[in-house]
Amino acid sequence: MNKKRVLSLLAATVMSVSLFAGCGGGEKKPEAGKEPAKQEAKLKVGLVTDEGGVNDGSFNQSALVGIGKAEKELKIEKISPIESKQQNAYQPNLKTMATTADLIVGCGFMMKDAMKNVSSEIKDKKFMIVDDIVDTPNTVSITFKEQEGSFLVGVIAGKLTKTNKIGFIGGREGEVINRFESGFAAGVMSVNPEAGKLLMPVGENVNKLSPGKNVKYIDSFTDQQKGYEAAKMLYNSGCDIIFHAAGGAGTGLFKAAKELNRYAIGVDSDQAADPKLEKYKDTIIISMEKQVGESVIDVIKSIQEGKFQGGKHLVLGIKEDRVRVAPTINEKVVTKESKELSDKYKEAIKADKFKVPGTRKELKAFKVPQI
């Protein structure tokens, strides 16, 4: 083969390869009869808060933290939350969120009617309500055994008090906050009946009992001044420890505790670890944590796995590891003995050795368990 012919064959080969590459453009065409793989759309999740807002340091904030965690770990799309400044905004805010989100999370028992209306109307979206029950088939309802976690912090408070006077501040009267009140009083009574007696309900009619003398309801989850005034009243009457279930209004309790050099117990989230409450971290000796954020993550996972429990009511407590004493503890104040005793009661509750009262009627009939 002469040199000219070899060169001609090489040139032809190079041209063929170039043409093949140019036509292909580096793309792989799908095989005949097969559709190209579609990229799965991200699940969109959005929160609608109650009046407490996203910075309540409580359960709205916990829910938002849970959605943020799911964005990183479960690759969902987090929709900007909508804050409800008043009750008549709940329904329009839920509707607005439903135009974008696939799962709409609503926090608070005051949102029940609005969520029922919106979830009934918008049937192709999924909803989650925290702290109440909505019986529509596209809504999962989550409530908590707040009384169980409150019992544990009550045990610690009962062992730590120096004055034998302990207080409780609630936001609004109702089943949810009554569970906090009743469980807390039962915990105190179990280890220190003298300190617990003013937390006990009063009245002869067990179906219409009134809160005890050291129990104050302020009719708000946002008014910090009301929380502050109620706390000062209780501290000035001799209380040295107060537990609150008053949402954002609880910041008023922390302010009073700091001013008067007394102690407070946080609620719903690990409030002593909250950067926004940094200046009160030494007064918040412990918190009762209701793990709303983790429960939101549970629901998100159920959707991703095709196991969403629409129409179901899930009740979560110690056994489900969704209420507990929060990990941040002021060890200068909280003794090892009090924490170990609280842990013993936790195990007894988990083992169904006794039932923590969740109403004033149940509290009135409660018999202190022997463990």
Side-chain angles (χ1 to χ4, degrees), residues 233-261:
M233 189 183 302
L234 287 168
Y235 285 135
N236 288 332
S237 73
C239 293
D240 56 352
I241 302 171
I242 300 174
F243 174 43
H244 88 93
T251 304
L253 160 64
F254 304 148
K255 181 182 177 184
K258 185 176 176 66
E259 282 183 10
L260 299 173
N261 197 27

Side-chain angles (χ1 to χ4, degrees), residues 45 47 61-79 293 296-297 300:
V45 181
L47 169 68
Q61 185 171 318
S62 177
L64 189 62
V65 168
I67 295 171
K69 187 177 176 184
E71 183 180 35
K72 292 177 183 175
E73 297 179 2
L74 303 177
K75 308 305 178 188
I76 63 149
E77 182 178 340
K78 174 185 170 184
I79 307 300
V296 172
I297 291 171
I300 291 170

Side-chain angles (χ1 to χ4, degrees), residues 238-293:
C239 293
D240 56 352
I241 302 171
I242 300 174
F243 174 43
H244 88 93
T251 304
L253 160 64
F254 304 148
K255 181 182 177 184
K258 185 176 176 66
E259 282 183 10
L260 299 173
N261 197 27
R262 308 290 172 83
Y263 296 118
I265 297 174
V267 77
D268 287 340
S269 60
D270 193 350
Q271 294 198 289
D274 188 336
K276 294 188 297 299
L277 299 172
E278 168 76 19
K279 62 183 175 181
Y280 303 120
K281 67 177 185 178
D282 292 332
T283 64
I284 305 171
I285 55 172
I286 45 172
S287 296
M288 195 292 276
E289 190 174 11
K290 187 165 88 171
Q291 297 190 76
V292 175

Side-chain angles (χ1 to χ4, degrees), residues 8-9 93-94 115 127 137 177 184 191 229 235 275 351:
S8 297
L9 285 169
N93 286 349
L94 288 166
M115 182 161 280
F127 295 81
I177 308 304
F184 182 64
V191 297
E229 289 167 0
Y235 285 135

Side-chain angles (χ1 to χ4, degrees), residues 294-330:
E294 292 301 317
S295 302
V296 172
I297 291 171
D298 292 340
V299 172
I300 291 170
K301 283 180 180 176
S302 76
I303 294 172
Q304 292 181 329
E305 294 167 2
K307 298 175 182 176
F308 179 71
Q309 294 180 287
K312 292 287 182 70
H313 170 211
L314 307 177
V315 185
L316 310 176
I318 283 175
K319 196 176 285 188
E320 296 76 22
D321 193 28
R322 288 295 173 259
V323 296
R324 64 178 183 177
V325 177
T328 305
I329 295 171
N330 185 337

Side-chain angles (χ1 to χ4, degrees), residues 78-303:
K78 174 185 170 184
I79 307 300
S80 295
I82 300 176
E83 297 184 274
S84 306
K85 301 299 182 185
Q86 50 202 20
Q87 290 187 47
N88 60 12
Y90 294 159
Q91 190 156 317
N93 286 349
L94 288 166
K95 279 189 175 182
T96 299
M97 184 58 78
T99 62
T100 308
D102 303 306
L103 171 65
I104 299 91
V105 180
C107 279
F109 60 86
M110 291 184 291
M111 203 174 285
K112 176 178 180 174
D113 292 340
M115 182 161 280
K116 183 168 186 177
N117 292 339
V118 176
S119 61
S120 296
E121 181 183 334
I122 306 174
K123 296 182 171 65
D124 61 335
K125 294 297 178 80
K126 294 179 174 64
F127 295 81
M128 170 184 175
I129 187 166
V130 177
D131 278 355
D132 217 318
I133 305 165
V134 171
D135 59 0
T136 53
N138 53 341
T139 304
V140 61
S141 304
I142 306 283
T143 61
F144 295 83
K145 296 178 183 176
E146 292 93 350
Q147 66 270 30
E148 293 184 347
S150 300
F151 183 96
L152 301 183
V153 295
V155 168
I156 293 172
K159 294 299 289 184
L160 296 181
T161 179
K162 300 291 194 294
T163 64
N164 274 343
K165 289 186 178 178
I166 294 171
F168 174 84
I169 295 174
R172 285 199 180 102
E173 280 266 22
E175 289 182 12
V176 175
I177 308 304
N178 287 168
R179 290 199 288 269
F180 285 99
E181 174 200 331
S182 301
F184 182 64
V188 175
M189 287 294 291
S190 294
V191 297
N192 190 341
E194 180 62 27
K197 66 184 182 183
L198 294 180
L199 293 167
M200 291 295 289
V202 294
E204 297 302 319
N205 185 345
V206 292
N207 294 313
K208 207 172 182 179
L209 295 166
S210 300
K213 186 177 178 181
N214 282 354
V215 174
K216 304 295 179 189
Y217 280 85
I218 59 174
D219 196 32
S220 176
F221 290 103
T222 58
D223 193 328
Q224 294 182 18
Q225 185 60 30
K226 285 185 176 181
Y228 173 77
E229 289 167 0
K232 283 196 78 172
M233 189 183 302
L234 287 168
Y235 285 135
N236 288 332
S237 73
C239 293
D240 56 352
I241 302 171
I242 300 174
F243 174 43
H244 88 93
T251 304
L253 160 64
F254 304 148
K255 181 182 177 184
K258 185 176 176 66
E259 282 183 10
L260 299 173
N261 197 27
R262 308 290 172 83
Y263 296 118
I265 297 174
V267 77
D268 287 340
S269 60
D270 193 350
Q271 294 198 289
D274 188 336
K276 294 188 297 299
L277 299 172
E278 168 76 19
K279 62 183 175 181
Y280 303 120
K281 67 177 185 178
D282 292 332
T283 64
I284 305 171
I285 55 172
I286 45 172
S287 296
M288 195 292 276
E289 190 174 11
K290 187 165 88 171
Q291 297 190 76
V292 175
E294 292 301 317
S295 302
V296 172
I297 291 171
D298 292 340
V299 172
I300 291 170
K301 283 180 180 176
S302 76
I303 294 172

